[in-house]
Amino acid sequence: MRSAGAADPAWQGGAWGERAHAVLCPNPSPMTLEGTNTWVLLEPGSGEAVVVDPGPLDEAHLAAVLDHVARRDARVALTLLTHGHADHAESADRWARLTAAPVRRCGPGHDDLQAGQRVDVGGLEVLVVPTPGHTADSLSFLLPAEQVLLTGDTVLGRGTTVVAYPDGDLTSYLESLERLRALTRSGAASSIAPGHGPVVPDATGVVEHYWRHRHARLEQVRQAVAQLHPTDDPGRGDLADRVVEQVYADTPRAVWPAARLSVLAQLDYLGALTD
């Protein structure tokens, strides 16, 4: 799950390579780290920008993104959403009105983004990489020209993410990590531009860490279930709460509610949930 604690003053957004620039939303919290990264993607010399995740409905932040695009003598031609959580997508309708640009996402509709789809805007190439698990609609976006992967909440700039059960599920998340392992090991993705936290120069290393961490947590949950389930003591709380107390004992309590979602996803994966 996401790390808690004070924001890192070293990360304030900014450029990553020649084509990606993060405008940091001022919504820091234990769950959003320094805030939401709204990524502005622009091919050098082009006047057409792609914006990824306009963020929460914060008028000052939306104005800052528009100002950044204008200062680069560009206009917003397309908006992409990594997933539908409010800290990434709450402003999508407002943003569409402000920019008169289409907003594309995973989900029902005539203009859905499809796995492996190539999106071209002003000479910029973006490839759609399905990465469900954190949520059912989670997508990542690859910039092949610079091997930069925009991961939303699937991989963060610091800490690990939550599998937001029941919309998110562990089977899908593990499959998504395998997909990202293939991309990073092949060299197609060498760095990560996350939805929260600083950029990650070593994509291979962090994806491997996520893969090992998730499997280690799953084994911890498996062992906890063996010790705690079944129980005839309802006063100790339900199984998920008790697993959180044991497995996430060293994690700040501020993020225990999110940890509980991941635990539920793991219990479901293990077949340990009961009606």
Side-chain angles (χ1 to χ4, degrees):
M1 57 172 305
R2 298 173 188 166
S3 297
D8 179 0
W11 176 247
Q12 299 179 3
W16 183 243
E18 295 184 340
R19 293 169 174 80
H21 186 106
V23 180
L24 182 62
C25 183
N27 62 330
S29 76
M31 294 302 298
T32 59
L33 304 180
E34 291 76 28
T36 300
N37 295 325
T38 294
W39 287 97
V40 178
L41 311 178
L42 195 64
E43 186 69 16
S46 173
E48 295 183 313
V50 175
V51 168
V52 178
D53 290 350
L57 190 55
D58 181 321
E59 294 289 348
H61 174 62
L62 300 183
V65 178
L66 287 173
D67 181 64
H68 173 80
V69 173
R71 284 187 283 108
R72 298 178 68 180
D73 296 323
R75 66 176 184 88
V76 178
L78 176 66
T79 299
L80 302 175
L81 301 181
T82 62
H83 64 296
H85 279 171
D87 56 324
H88 295 257
E90 182 185 35
S91 66
D93 290 344
R94 170 66 173 156
W95 182 248
R97 292 193 296 272
L98 288 172
T99 63
V103 177
R104 302 187 66 185
R105 68 190 80 194
C106 174
H110 69 281
D111 203 22
D112 294 352
L113 294 170
Q114 305 296 326
Q117 182 175 353
R118 170 177 162 170
V119 177
D120 291 294
V121 175
L124 179 78
E125 180 184 9
V126 180
L127 297 182
V128 179
V129 182
T131 48
H134 168 68
T135 59
D137 65 346
S138 289
L139 297 171
S140 295
F141 301 107
L142 178 66
L143 301 182
E146 297 187 19
Q147 299 84 50
V148 176
L149 185 67
L150 289 85
T151 53
D153 280 1
T154 299
V155 176
L156 304 176
R158 188 175 75 254
T160 54
T161 197
V162 61
V163 179
Y165 184 85
D167 181 46
D169 74 278
L170 187 58
T171 297
S172 295
Y173 190 71
L174 293 175
E175 290 173 350
S176 292
L177 288 181
E178 290 290 356
R179 190 171 298 116
L180 296 187
R181 289 177 94 196
L183 280 175
T184 58
R185 288 175 169 181
S186 71
S190 60
S191 67
I192 287 174
H196 302 281
V199 293
V200 178
D202 179 14
T204 301
V206 77
V207 170
E208 288 298 313
H209 166 70
Y210 265 60
W211 188 89
R212 291 192 302 268
H213 171 83
R214 187 54 58 195
H215 283 83
R217 281 296 197 207
L218 184 60
E219 183 57 30
Q220 289 176 312
V221 170
R222 194 191 315 270
Q223 293 175 10
V225 169
Q227 296 173 20
L228 298 172
H229 186 65
T231 180
D232 57 1
D233 182 6
R236 295 187 62 194
D238 71 12
L239 181 61
D241 289 331
R242 292 161 58 211
V243 170
V244 170
E245 290 174 5
Q246 180 167 320
V247 174
Y248 291 85
D250 60 348
T251 302
R253 285 179 175 265
V255 291
W256 275 21
R260 188 178 188 278
L261 296 179
S262 285
V263 164
L264 285 168
Q266 291 170 97
L267 292 174
D268 184 51
Y269 182 85
L270 295 170
L273 290 181
T274 57
D275 295 333

